[in-house]
């Protein structure tokens, strides 16, 4: 199911209101994090027509991780777009987004990058759309999935880690080859 043009959703994401952004004052930040479960509950009831399960609420409510909470609140703002607020059977996707995907993103990317980088806004929008079983207007499922892979912070980190591991493995193998060649050369000199 296709929705609205991606630029509209990116503009909506960039225009997050102040109450959906983490405050800089520590006391206000604690109160703001305490508000997150109510925001998630309202969003879930609006989108799914039912209260979220207690596992989701417990996970959202117990976090003291300001970055994770900030990503959750930003995702709630994206999902609150009028074109996306239509009832749907998206409870599983929304739960996966809030419980698995956003914690993984928040561990790698500071939420401040949402304001600074369009790719981070696009990543969040695309994750939210996928969670709701939707995609940007004019894109096939394959195109939407491929573009998300291109802007996916978690996937990029995984690829960087794989490349570093491969490079380290090659460095060790080269060192072993050099050592074996040196030993072979020393052995030849000893025989002569």
């Amino acid at each position: 199911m296709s929705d609205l043009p991606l630029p509209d959703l990116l503009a909506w994401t960039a225009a997050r209101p102040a109450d959906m952004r983490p405050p800089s004052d520590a006391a206000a930040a604690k109160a703001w994090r305490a508000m997150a479960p109510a925001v998630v509950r309202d969003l879930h009831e609006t989108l799914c027509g039912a209260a979220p399960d207690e596992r989701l609420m417990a996970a959202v409510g117990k976090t003291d991780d300001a970055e994770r909470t900030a990503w959750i609140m930003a995702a709630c703002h994206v999902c609150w777009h009028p074109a996306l607020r239509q009832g749907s059977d998206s409870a599983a996707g929304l739960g996966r987004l809030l419980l698995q995907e956003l914690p993984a993103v928040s561990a790698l990317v500071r939420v401040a990058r949402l304001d600074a980088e369009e790719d981070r806004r696009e990543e969040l929008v695309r994750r939210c759309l996928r969670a709701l079983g939707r995609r940007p207007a004019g894109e096939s499922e394959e195109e939407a999935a491929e573009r998300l892979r291109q802007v996916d912070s978690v996937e990029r980190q995984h690829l960087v880690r794989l490349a570093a591991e491969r490079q380290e493995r090659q460095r060790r193998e080269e060192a072993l080859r050099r050592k074996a060649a040196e030993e072979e050369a020393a052995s030849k000199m000893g025989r002569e």
Side-chain angles (χ1 to χ4, degrees):
M1 172 190 204
S2 186
D3 285 298
L4 45 127
L6 185 63
D8 293 351
L9 289 168
L10 293 173
W12 172 266
T13 304
R16 282 187 342 270
D19 59 350
M20 296 303 279
R21 296 171 184 267
S24 56
D25 174 73
K30 185 175 180 179
W32 179 78
R33 283 194 309 272
M35 178 181 76
V39 172
V40 168
R41 181 176 295 280
D42 287 349
L43 176 69
H44 196 283
E45 288 174 353
T46 299
L47 294 179
C48 305
D53 66 40
E54 289 310 310
R55 189 184 82 144
L56 174 60
M57 293 311 299
V60 170
K62 75 176 180 178
T63 185
D64 283 336
D65 183 347
E67 283 296 315
R68 181 174 169 214
T69 302
W71 278 99
I72 288 171
M73 294 291 274
C76 287
H77 174 71
V78 171
C79 294
W80 195 252
H81 188 284
L84 300 178
R85 271 189 260 159
Q86 307 149 7
S88 66
D89 184 22
S90 56
L94 195 56
R96 184 182 67 249
L97 174 71
L98 299 175
L99 290 173
Q100 297 171 2
E101 293 184 34
L102 294 178
V105 171
S106 71
L108 297 172
V109 181
R110 307 242 346 133
V111 77
R113 290 178 56 190
L114 270 177
D115 295 326
E117 299 174 15
E118 185 160 327
D119 278 356
R120 296 298 60 81
R121 289 189 296 276
E122 183 177 352
E123 176 182 7
L124 180 62
V125 165
R126 287 181 178 281
R127 286 181 181 281
C128 291
L129 288 174
R130 182 178 64 186
L132 300 176
R134 305 198 180 168
R135 61 184 185 271
E139 290 185 12
S140 69
E141 284 185 45
E142 295 78 23
E143 291 168 329
E146 177 57 30
R147 181 59 187 153
L148 176 56
R149 276 191 291 280
Q150 292 171 7
V151 296
D152 188 334
S153 300
V154 176
E155 179 68 15
R156 182 174 43 254
Q157 180 66 26
H158 175 70
L159 293 174
V160 166
R161 188 173 44 252
L162 288 177
E165 289 170 1
R166 183 177 32 239
Q167 193 172 34
E168 177 60 23
R169 193 171 42 254
Q170 289 172 342
R171 186 194 64 74
R172 282 193 308 258
E173 290 169 356
E174 180 59 30
L176 289 173
R177 279 192 292 274
R178 266 195 315 270
K179 184 176 179 182
E182 289 169 1
E183 289 173 355
E184 178 67 26
S187 175
K188 278 185 179 180
M189 287 187 70
R191 286 181 278 184
E192 294 175 355

